[in-house]
Amino acid sequence: MSPVWHAAVVGVRRGWTELRQTFTTGQDVFGYVLWTVLLMVPLFLVRDDPLKGAGISVGAFMLPSMLGMTLAFTGMMTTAQLLATEREDGTLLRAKAVPHGMVGHLVGKIIMVSGTALVSMALPFAVGLFLVHGVAQQGGGALLTLVWVVPLGLLATLPMGAVIGSLVDSPRTVGLLMLPVMGLVVISGIYFPLSKLPEWLQTVGQIFPVYWLGLGLRSALLPTDAVAAEIGESWRPLETAGVLAAWAIAGLLLAPSVLRRMARRESGAAMAERHRKAMQRVG
């Protein structure tokens, strides 16, 4: 076994261990529950409101859309937050000191974040099925769609999260990025159909993967008649695959070079300087 491959295998084991630990850590379990509650509150309030012209309720439209938002949000922002935090506390510097340690470390984070994203989707989905009707009744066709939408969505968001985490100076900067991300959610057709917005906002929303993840999951989980609420009254599977694949390719091409640049710049002096600035803020 080559050293790089061995490091990747170790990374898989580490990622699986970290994922299991999230189910035994009170803070992490609380995070899963809180996220589910935050999604279910608006869903509960509109669960029976009819969505005009689509033959479904607003709640049924929102549930798969929120699952797509969760996948995108976790893939990008959680990855960025973890890398920024571990860069500041010296974890990445220690990984750099081990032969091929960065490879194993990043593979572990991919496994852990992917598992976190799936769990963060599964809990609201299970609860949402009891709140709204007309979701997940499409049989085998829905499963086939989920098989390619979910992995492609992770590929589209995880590398971009790594890029963001490599470029920002601290976890606090990632926190500030939450504001534009929430604005993006509003114009991505998560809480209401994108077709209801002005055309220029529709164009902006369709640039980013959040909308396409929501659309892909709606196509898998909603009845055929619900397509009337979408742009062009089409699920646009080819466009969904194309946009998500474009984001995945861009991220996979950009992330390695950005991560290598970040690793080269990591040093004890740089970490000490970040610690000094952090202490000044606390003081």
Side-chain angles (χ1 to χ4, degrees), residues 80 114 166 183 193 277:
S114 298
S166 301
K277 292 180 178 179

Side-chain angles (χ1 to χ4, degrees), residues 69-193:
M69 176 191 70
T70 298
L71 185 62
F73 191 85
T74 306
M76 284 193 290
M77 303 312 296
T78 300
T79 303
Q81 185 74 32
L82 286 173
L83 283 179
T85 300
E86 293 178 345
R87 183 182 181 186
E88 186 174 68
D89 66 15
T91 301
L92 292 181
L93 182 61
R94 292 190 292 271
K96 177 186 174 183
V98 179
H100 305 293
M102 287 295 292
V103 174
H105 185 78
L106 291 173
V107 169
K109 290 305 167 192
I110 289 171
I111 297 298
M112 196 273 281
V113 174
S114 298
T116 300
L118 294 176
V119 173
S120 299
M121 290 174 62
L123 290 178
F125 182 54
V127 176
L129 288 178
F130 290 98
L131 294 180
V132 298
H133 302 286
V135 179
Q137 299 177 358
Q138 306 309 107
L143 181 61
L144 290 175
T145 303
L146 292 175
V147 164
W148 67 265
V149 169
V150 172
L152 191 55
L154 286 171
L155 281 175
T157 55
L158 281 169
M160 298 311 299
V163 171
I164 295 171
S166 301
L167 294 177
V168 299
D169 295 329
S170 71
R172 289 164 292 282
T173 306
V174 179
L176 292 176
L177 291 176
M178 295 293 184
L179 295 176
V181 169
M182 295 311 297
L184 176 63
V185 167
V186 172
I187 62 169
S188 293
I190 301 302
Y191 296 105
F192 50 83

Side-chain angles (χ1 to χ4, degrees), residues 8-24:
V9 172
V10 172
V12 171
R13 294 173 183 167
R14 175 175 177 171
W16 178 242
T17 299
E18 290 181 349
L19 180 61
R20 291 204 312 269
Q21 288 175 346
T22 65
F23 304 127
T24 59

